[in-house]
Amino acid sequence: MGVLENKSRARLFYKYLSKVYDQINPYIWNEEMRDDALELLGIQPDDRVLDVGCGTGFATEGLLRYSDDVHALDQSIHQMQKAFGKFGKNDEVRFYRGDAERLPFADNSFDVIWSSGSIEYWPNPVDALEEFRRVVKPGRRVLVVGPDYPESGLFQRVADAIMLFYDEHEAQRMFEEAGFVDIEHHIQQAYPGSPKAITTIARAPERDDADDEAAIEADT
């Protein structure tokens, strides 16, 4: 587990990173990448949308182009304060301070869940994805963006020491373990030579799908 896959260390890290986050972020995850990912989701104007790990509101801003019912959660108050300056504390967006692994929402609360630049800090990613499945409505989709695993052995060792990096195979495993279906992965990159992002879209099963899965497991 990387040094930043710890909630208290991640909060401390973002206390200082929040001061320059919006200046650094475009070199890794820029507007074009965000907008391409948003197009994949097919958000409707009346969808209730949750942004998990909203940070300074970079993705939140994009989500607001599609829906007026956007909710945003983060564990870092310093990051969220930057977002408050953009949208107001509870004007355009409803903000919550909370933990991806223990979402403070009822079952089936949202039509869409988005999370970018957050999974790499979760100590237990599958636990968080199971929470996503719990609070998203059956049949609806979630999108998660994280750092793609480097190809170089040296960079792999550095990546493993810092936080969670993962490839398509690991993403597939995590989403399947959390109970999602129709899982697809897209590799995105700001420019040649920059770090790659892995964007995964998956669907929460319909109730009939879940019943079929339970029946199959019971027969095996």
Side-chain angles (χ1 to χ4, degrees):
M1 181 176 289
V3 67
L4 291 179
E5 289 177 80
N6 173 283
K7 293 169 188 177
S8 61
R9 285 197 290 266
R11 283 195 297 270
L12 181 62
F13 174 70
Y14 270 110
K15 176 180 179 180
Y16 297 101
L17 184 62
S18 63
K19 302 177 188 301
V20 295
Y21 183 85
D22 287 338
Q23 287 72 48
I24 294 173
N25 193 48
Y27 295 99
I28 301 170
W29 177 247
N30 61 24
E31 288 188 13
E32 182 179 357
M33 296 166 73
R34 178 198 65 190
D35 294 348
D36 286 347
L38 284 165
E39 284 295 314
L40 295 171
L41 264 179
I43 301 170
Q44 299 301 306
D46 59 348
D47 281 345
R48 190 170 192 244
V49 181
L50 175 63
D51 182 3
V52 176
C54 64
T56 64
F58 177 69
T60 316
E61 184 177 16
L63 293 166
L64 284 167
R65 297 177 188 168
Y66 292 83
S67 173
D68 293 329
D69 192 3
V70 175
H71 302 249
L73 174 143
D74 204 282
Q75 69 159 344
S76 169
I77 190 61
H78 300 92
Q79 289 280 82
M80 289 174 68
Q81 284 170 345
K82 295 287 186 180
F84 297 161
K86 297 175 182 178
F87 311 112
K89 198 165 185 178
N90 279 303
D91 297 335
E92 296 181 76
V93 179
R94 178 74 183 272
F95 286 99
Y96 311 81
R97 188 176 182 191
D99 187 336
E101 295 174 9
R102 293 188 298 273
L103 294 174
F105 308 109
D107 295 359
N108 308 329
S109 294
F110 295 94
D111 299 292
V112 175
I113 297 179
W114 167 288
S115 182
S116 54
S118 182
I119 187 174
E120 55 264 40
Y121 304 105
W122 302 343
N124 303 293
V126 173
D127 290 352
L129 293 175
E130 287 174 345
E131 278 289 271
F132 284 23
R133 183 185 168 190
R134 179 183 68 79
V135 304
V136 75
K137 295 175 183 177
R140 302 307 299 267
R141 298 202 293 176
V142 307
L143 182 148
V144 176
V145 182
D148 189 41
Y149 201 56
E151 297 178 2
S152 162
L154 173 61
F155 285 114
Q156 287 174 0
R157 289 192 291 274
V158 173
D160 289 340
I162 298 173
M163 56 191 180
L164 176 66
F165 286 72
Y166 57 95
D167 58 15
E168 291 187 26
H169 178 78
E170 179 64 6
Q172 186 74 22
R173 181 197 68 78
M174 292 190 294
F175 276 81
E176 286 182 352
E177 191 172 331
F180 285 97
V181 297
D182 298 339
I183 305 163
E184 58 186 65
H185 314 285
H186 303 265
I187 302 300
Q188 297 183 269
Q189 189 175 27
Y191 53 88
S194 67
K196 295 179 181 179
I198 178 167
T199 298
T200 300
I201 302 175
R203 182 174 63 84
E206 301 278 4
R207 290 186 175 86
D208 290 345
D209 294 341
D211 292 342
D212 290 343
E213 289 176 8
I216 292 170
E217 290 178 2
D219 290 338
T220 57

